[in-house]
Amino acid sequence: MQFTTKIPIETFSKPITYDSNILSLGSCFADNMDEKFHYYKFSTVTNPFGIIFNPVSLERIVHRIVNKVAFTENDIFFHNEAWHCFEVHSELSHPNKDEFLKQLNSILVTVHDKMRSLTHCIITLGTAWVYRNNALDKIVANCHKVPQKQFTKELLSVDAIQKNIENIVTLVQQINKEVKFICTVSPVRHSKDGFVENNVSKAHLLSAVYTCKTSLEIAYFPSYEILLDELRDYRFYAEDMLHPNAIAIQYIWQRFKETVIDATVYEIMDEVATIQKALAHKPFNPLSANHVNFVNTTQQKISNLQKKLPSVQF
């Protein structure tokens, strides 16, 4: 008996392997998937400038990375005893101006170099609602708790989002034509925008991605649809009833694995998982002969795996 409607997902034509170099950009759901990539020891960089929810800010940061446009004093401001940048997340904010700029530009160079060797770029769109700083007349990635009266809230049109996605693809291809793009819409519900407004926002994102999927060579992975249609139940949400919980994230990852990751590496993923579980094991007696043997066996498994994949580190 079936208790859910399973969404058919087309297998990705250029699947991810352990030879892949992955860059993930976008909402907090991108971070959820990144935890899985890291657990299984894939080569990945996710949200180097922090979580970015809207496509305008994603395009802007990609433009800066591709063209190596350095951050300057004109791009930052001081507020609540720290320096911030409207283009990046507050997790990067810093009390020292010079150190902040140094940090931002160091990340910029690192990600630019990473982008030149990318095989896959995953874009996770969170919302079509944006905040425009009135003084700068620019849409921001993060308001950094600056008073709300300094911003105007706007809803991006489908056409505008479509153009953002197209520009991101074009920009990356300027320095790397081999990158394969995977786009998804975050299943996280932005209730602060309003429940109707959240649905309108997701509809704009989905419509834009759908159009780009047919006009550009990008794949679409239905994270949003899996949570809302396959898992359609509040037991798959976290306590805030807005974010997917661990079970939902694991299920979406499993569907991602089935369609985007090459089946030839599943065996290696199982080896990695076995080692990860062993490393997480907490012994009753660390000095016992059984535990010493367990540690030696685990170390041998790591050595055997590293012979096949020298880049893997535990």
Side-chain angles (χ1 to χ4, degrees), residues 37-225:
F37 277 127
H38 274 291
Y39 182 84
Y40 288 103
K41 298 299 179 181
F42 286 94
S43 176
T44 179
V45 172
T46 295
N47 285 335
F49 288 105
I51 294 166
I52 297 178
F53 294 101
N54 76 78
V56 172
S57 296
L58 278 174
E59 180 192 335
R60 184 174 295 133
I61 203 68
V62 169
H63 177 274
R64 188 181 282 278
I65 293 168
V66 169
N67 293 288
K68 294 179 76 171
V69 181
F71 290 91
T72 69
E73 291 187 12
N74 294 329
D75 300 311
I76 64 176
F77 65 97
F78 193 74
H79 178 68
N80 283 343
E81 301 183 13
W83 288 91
H84 311 277
C85 175
F86 280 129
E87 295 182 37
V88 307
H89 196 271
S90 55
E91 67 183 23
L92 296 173
S93 297
H94 200 285
N96 183 286
K97 179 176 67 174
D98 293 335
E99 287 298 319
F100 184 42
L101 286 173
K102 181 180 178 182
Q103 177 189 25
L104 292 178
N105 287 317
S106 175
I107 295 171
L108 181 71
V109 172
T110 300
V111 181
H112 176 90
D113 293 341
K114 172 79 174 180
M115 199 172 277
R116 288 189 173 278
S117 60
L118 279 188
T119 58
H120 297 82
C121 182
I122 304 172
I123 302 168
T124 304
L125 302 177
T127 182
W129 288 103
V130 296
Y131 289 86
R132 183 182 296 275
N133 181 275
N134 299 325
L136 299 174
D137 192 28
K138 283 186 177 180
I139 291 170
V140 302
N142 194 297
C143 294
H144 300 294
K145 297 185 179 179
V146 172
Q148 191 172 356
K149 64 182 180 181
Q150 296 186 27
F151 301 91
T152 301
K153 187 176 180 180
E154 303 173 7
L155 178 66
L156 297 175
S157 69
V158 175
D159 288 344
I161 299 167
Q162 181 183 334
K163 190 64 177 174
N164 293 142
I165 298 170
E166 291 172 351
N167 289 344
I168 289 171
V169 172
T170 301
L171 281 163
V172 175
Q173 288 179 339
Q174 285 179 13
I175 59 174
N176 186 341
K177 295 186 180 299
E178 303 304 316
V179 180
K180 303 303 176 186
F181 291 87
I182 303 166
C183 205
T184 190
V185 173
S186 169
V188 177
R189 302 155 73 205
H190 291 243
S191 65
K192 289 182 180 179
D193 292 323
F195 286 92
V196 173
E197 290 78 4
N198 173 69
N199 286 338
V200 171
S201 165
K202 298 295 188 184
H204 282 213
L205 296 175
L206 291 165
S207 296
V209 173
Y210 185 80
T211 301
C212 289
K213 182 180 181 298
T214 56
S215 62
L216 299 171
E217 289 188 10
I218 63 173
Y220 178 67
F221 180 75
S223 305
Y224 177 83
E225 292 82 355

Side-chain angles (χ1 to χ4, degrees), residues 275 278-279 281 283 285-303:
I275 293 170
L279 293 174
H281 174 69
N285 182 2
L287 301 178
S288 68
N290 282 343
H291 182 65
V292 171
N293 183 59
F294 177 79
V295 170
N296 291 336
T297 301
T298 300
Q299 187 56 55
Q300 186 59 53
K301 289 178 180 178
I302 292 173
S303 298

Side-chain angles (χ1 to χ4, degrees), residues 6 10 125 130 206 217 255 272 274 286 305:
K6 197 163 186 177
E10 184 178 348
L125 302 177
V130 296
L206 291 165
E217 289 188 10
R255 300 289 334 259
V272 173
T274 298
L305 180 60

